[in-house]
Structures are given as structure tokens and as C-alpha cells.
Amino acid sequence: MAARDEFYQRDRDWHPAAYAPGYKTSVTRAPRFALVSLEQSLSDVTGPVFGEDSLGPLDNDLIRNFTGEEAVGPRIVVHGRVLDENARPVPNALIEIWQANAGGKYRHVNDRYLAALDPNFGGCGRALSDADGYYFFRTIQPGPYPWRNRINDWRPAHIHLSIFGTAFCQRLITQLYFEGDPLIPRCPIVNSIADKAAVERLIARLDPEAGVPLDSLAYRFDIVLRGRRQTLFENRLQGA
Amino acid sequence: MPGFGNFPDHPFHSLKETPSQTAGPFLHIGMAPAAAGLPERSQQQDNVIAGAAVEGERIRIEGYVLDGTGHKVKDAALEAWQADSKGAFPEGPIEAAAFRGWGRAVTDFSTGLWWFETVKPGAVPGRVGADGKAAVQAPHLCLWVVARGINVGLSTRLYFDDEAEYNAKDPVLAVIEQVGRRETLLARRESRGGETVYRFDIVLQGEGETVFFDV
């Protein structure tokens, strides 16, 4: 069996707090007890592998992947690399995204916002990073929308991302925000992250040279997954 | 950023992990499109971790996710990762009919119930101890829970209440200092019309709070 290295521990001060009272739903969904810290085992450092055949041809093109017709709204490319904490590319990382349409409305049975659905926008996409860790999506820039937290809270425009590395302990879900959005510092979900430098890492930057002239603007969003620790001593993870 | 002693500007490792954010209430669009009301994808049977032809004892696992008031959380998603009946993790790309090892379930919008169909995992090699021998991990599933209001996905494990002998020697259960809390990780075996069902509730907070791991 191939030797498997362990991953750096998560910096829990860098991630958002579980209990973030400004984000009201977290109050009853945050564990009270401390997390029990574990040394990693084979169960944690292995994980599912997704192949090209698990993707459809338009999965990374949200402008056209719902009906085949063009969706309405600002056309953008979201692209970047999936890296690990050692700055090495993570190839074959499955990225799933979901988002509201240009009016801030989700195509979801539970979304009650009065904004209109776009008949040609589903809001769901998937991509696999290539050998260099590179990925891209074509999509519509989502709109901000109101949500029930305080009565006049608005989410900044955002795209949800779910990322698989090679190990189950690298699983990550996050949100991408857009450079210059004045709603970002007002958002209680963003502000569940205490470290402003960490928030900056969730803000995609306009990337003019990567856009498509007369077609789409581009935003750059690099993703970093947990990195493997160098094994300086005998690997104690498993017998091998 | 911390640096090596004599290279103060050089970080120990060069990049920080992307910070987590909640999956939010509409995670189904991206993670379980059919539940959101979108067209079903091909191969979208993520509740089934092991296809019908896979070797092993067929089981169903089901339960609820409860918040700190005892209310059922109806917008959560769970992912599972487990070894096969012989204790081996799959290494190649996921195939629908084969043993996938990985599964994803969402809690039902009306009932709150989530479920997986799979085969019972075998014992898995654990870490090597000071004596040079690998520990044995009791049969288990790793679970990861995300939802609106959960800012960083919660990691836990499901063990089986009819594997007392293995559980007693499990190195992960052993690090839970409060012995009574180990019970929160035991799925209860039931028989239902010839089907073996393990019931496992996840309590996010409060009385009977599930043990969550930083792993």
C-alpha cells in the first residue's frame, strides 16, 4: 500500500467561529463542547476520487447548462488554481458550485425571495482541476439578496463552492465574493471570520486580461486546501 | 505569518488554507440538485455508497440532525467515507455500481430524515504504536455535516453498537475522555422487515451533543 502522509492541522482561528451570534442560525447549530483532536488515520487521509466521466460537457458553463439557451446577466469567467498549503497544485479536484441568478434568486424550492427566476439559469456547476490544478467556470455574476437574519440584512453577491482534495480531511465548503462589493464588510456570515486577511482570501479579484473581449469579464479565485506534512521521521500513520 | 528562526520572512508552509463558509440553505442546488427541484444528474444516487452487487452485509443507516433546541435540522447535508467489508478504502475513480466508499445524503425537507444504503465496513488499520504494531480501528464511517448555520463542516464518526469487542479497543473512541460521550457515536441496530437498519442521530448542540473531531 502506498505511503500516505498526514496533513497540517487546521488553523481554527483562521476559519470562522462555529458560534457567531451575529449569524443567528449558528447560535443553535454550533457545538458547545470542544472538538476532540485526533491524530489522522487512513480513514482521514484517503478520500473519493472523481473521474472525467462523472461530469457532463456543459457542467462548468452555467450560462448555458440549464436549457442550452443563454442566461441573463453579467457574463463572467471564474477561474483559478487549486493548490495545497505547500503551494503545490492539486489536480483532479472536484469543484461544485451553486449560486443565485443575476437578480439574487435561487432556483430552489425553498427560496421565497420575490425576485424573478431566469428560465435559462439553473445555478449549478461542476469542474475538475487539471494537472496544474487549474479550473474555470463560465457563469452569470449573481446578484445580492435579502435574507432573514436581522430584518434588513443582505448577502453580498457570492458563489458557493464545495471542493474535494485527495483526502476526506481536506473537504471544504466556502463562498466566493467579488472585489469592491460594499456588502462584504456588512455581512454577518463574512464576519464570522475574525481575521480580515482570511476574508480577503474569499474575495475574487477582477482579472481583466483573462476575460473574453466583447463577451465576458473574468475573476480570479485561487483555492488552497490543506497540505501534507513532510515526513521527516518514520511514518507512524500505518504499517508499511 | 510565522517564519523559520533564521529566515524570519519565510513561512513554515507557504499558503494558508482557504477559509470555510457555511454551505447555506440552498446547498442542494450544487450538492443534491434533485432535492432543490433541478433535473436529476445521471449517476445521482449519492445515498447509495455500495451498489447491490457489492460484497458484504447490506445495511441502511438513517437518522436525524438535531439542533440545540432538539429541533430537526431539515436543510443539512452529510457526507460519508468508509472502507469496504474487508476494511479497504477504494482507490480508483468512483463508479456507480461498484463500492464507492463515499456517499452524500441530505435531510428531508419535511421529515428531517437522512439515510445511506451501504455495506457494513470492516475493521481498518490504525496508526502504528510505540511497539511498532498497527492499532485496529473498529468498523466505522467518517461523517461530515454541513448546513446553514454551520460555519465549518463538522467531522464525526459512526460506530456500530453490535461491535462491542472492536469498539472497546478502538483508538479514536479511546481518546474521548468522558466515556459516556462515546455513546453518541454508536449507531443502534434494528431489524425492519428483514432489513438491517442502524439508527444514528447527530446532535449539534446541548444534551447528548455528538462528539465532533478536529482531525
Side-chain angles (χ1 to χ4, degrees):
Chain A
M1 196 181 295
R4 303 220 187 234
D5 294 332
E6 296 174 58
F7 290 81
Y8 300 120
Q9 72 175 10
R10 271 207 158 116
D11 181 351
R12 296 273 167 184
D13 296 329
W14 174 256
H15 283 284
Y19 174 78
Y23 176 23
K24 295 184 183 184
T25 310
S26 76
V27 172
T28 54
R29 295 185 175 190
R32 289 266 160 78
F33 293 125
L35 302 177
V36 173
S37 291
L38 294 184
E39 293 172 290
Q40 289 155 11
S41 73
L42 204 53
S43 313
D44 311 302
V45 302
T46 54
V49 177
F50 297 91
E52 283 289 346
D53 59 357
S54 58
L55 298 188
L58 288 178
D59 273 9
N60 70 339
D61 182 358
L62 287 76
I63 295 179
R64 290 197 298 136
N65 72 9
F66 192 58
T67 61
E69 302 293 318
E70 307 273 313
V72 173
R75 300 160 65 85
I76 60 170
V77 170
V78 171
H79 74 134
R81 293 176 79 198
V82 184
L83 304 169
D84 68 16
E85 289 172 290
N86 299 312
R88 296 189 189 104
V90 181
N92 207 45
L94 176 66
I95 306 170
E96 301 168 296
I97 69 170
W98 62 100
Q99 61 167 94
N101 68 21
K105 173 78 170 180
Y106 284 95
R107 185 171 289 280
H108 189 289
V109 291
N110 292 343
D111 188 2
R112 311 255 181 262
Y113 183 33
L114 54 78
L117 281 172
D118 175 349
N120 295 318
F121 189 73
C124 165
R126 295 192 291 183
L128 280 171
S129 63
D130 71 13
D132 297 319
Y134 182 76
Y135 76 92
F136 72 95
F137 290 93
R138 276 208 331 160
T139 189
I140 297 294
Q141 188 165 10
Y145 59 84
W147 60 299
R148 286 199 168 261
N149 190 58
R150 293 171 301 193
I151 204 62
N152 194 26
D153 275 335
W154 289 71
R155 291 305 322 282
H158 63 277
I159 297 174
H160 295 267
L161 298 97
S162 155
I163 308 108
F164 288 82
T166 57
F168 201 54
C169 72
Q170 289 177 297
R171 269 306 268 127
L172 180 70
I173 285 181
T174 190
Q175 299 182 31
L176 171 162
Y177 304 101
F178 293 91
E179 179 180 9
D181 188 337
L183 293 171
I184 294 170
R186 304 172 69 93
C187 176
I189 290 176
V190 172
N191 290 333
S192 65
I193 299 173
D195 190 328
K196 294 304 169 208
V199 172
E200 288 296 316
R201 291 280 305 280
L202 299 183
I203 302 175
R205 296 317 199 262
L206 185 68
D207 188 357
E209 302 311 320
V212 183
L214 304 179
D215 180 332
S216 301
L217 283 172
Y219 284 87
R220 174 88 185 191
F221 191 74
D222 292 329
I223 297 163
V224 179
L225 300 179
R226 293 170 73 180
R228 289 176 191 275
R229 189 159 58 214
Q230 301 221 349
T231 306
L232 300 177
F233 299 98
E234 186 186 349
N235 182 7
R236 310 306 292 176
L237 189 69
Q238 62 179 62
Chain B
M1 198 174 275
F4 286 113
N6 56 338
F7 289 90
D9 296 330
H10 187 79
F12 283 120
H13 44 271
S14 43
L15 299 171
K16 297 280 283 184
E17 187 186 11
T18 299
S20 172
Q21 291 271 265
T22 179
F26 305 126
L27 58 87
H28 314 84
I29 297 171
M31 299 175 72
L38 275 78
E40 196 147 347
R41 288 192 188 115
S42 58
Q43 300 184 11
Q44 193 75 40
Q45 260 295 346
D46 286 345
N47 297 66
V48 180
I49 298 173
V54 173
E55 189 183 334
E57 182 189 359
R58 293 213 64 83
I59 61 171
R60 178 184 172 95
I61 299 170
E62 64 178 35
Y64 298 100
V65 178
L66 303 164
D67 74 10
T69 72
H71 185 77
K72 287 170 187 158
V73 173
K74 295 178 177 173
D75 52 10
L78 289 85
E79 290 187 6
W81 176 241
Q82 67 161 93
D84 65 16
S85 60
K86 295 185 170 133
F89 289 97
E91 299 202 7
I94 277 188
E95 290 175 51
F99 178 74
R100 293 160 32 115
W102 176 82
R104 177 185 282 165
V106 295
T107 56
D108 187 90
F109 292 148
S110 54
T111 65
L113 195 71
W114 57 269
W115 58 269
F116 288 111
E117 283 181 8
T118 186
V119 293
K120 196 173 180 186
V124 175
R127 295 174 63 89
V128 178
D131 60 359
K133 290 182 186 153
V136 176
Q137 301 190 77
H140 67 278
L141 280 74
C142 292
L143 295 177
W144 192 63
V145 187
V146 295
R148 175 173 66 103
I150 296 177
N151 290 326
V152 186
L154 295 168
S155 299
T156 187
R157 283 183 172 210
L158 178 157
Y159 289 86
F160 298 90
D161 74 339
D162 55 341
E163 297 285 358
E165 207 169 307
Y166 272 124
N167 292 343
K169 294 180 192 158
D170 183 81
V172 169
L173 290 171
V175 299
I176 303 169
E177 181 184 350
Q178 296 85 1
V179 174
R181 294 199 71 209
R182 298 176 190 173
E183 298 275 317
T184 68
L185 303 186
L186 296 187
R188 313 279 163 196
R189 187 181 181 111
E190 300 166 10
S191 188
R192 189 188 299 160
E195 191 183 20
T196 300
V197 180
Y198 285 92
R199 171 70 187 271
F200 187 73
D201 290 341
I202 294 168
V203 180
L204 298 177
Q205 182 191 92
E207 194 180 337
E209 183 175 305
T210 300
V211 171
F212 297 105
F213 296 111
D214 188 14
V215 65

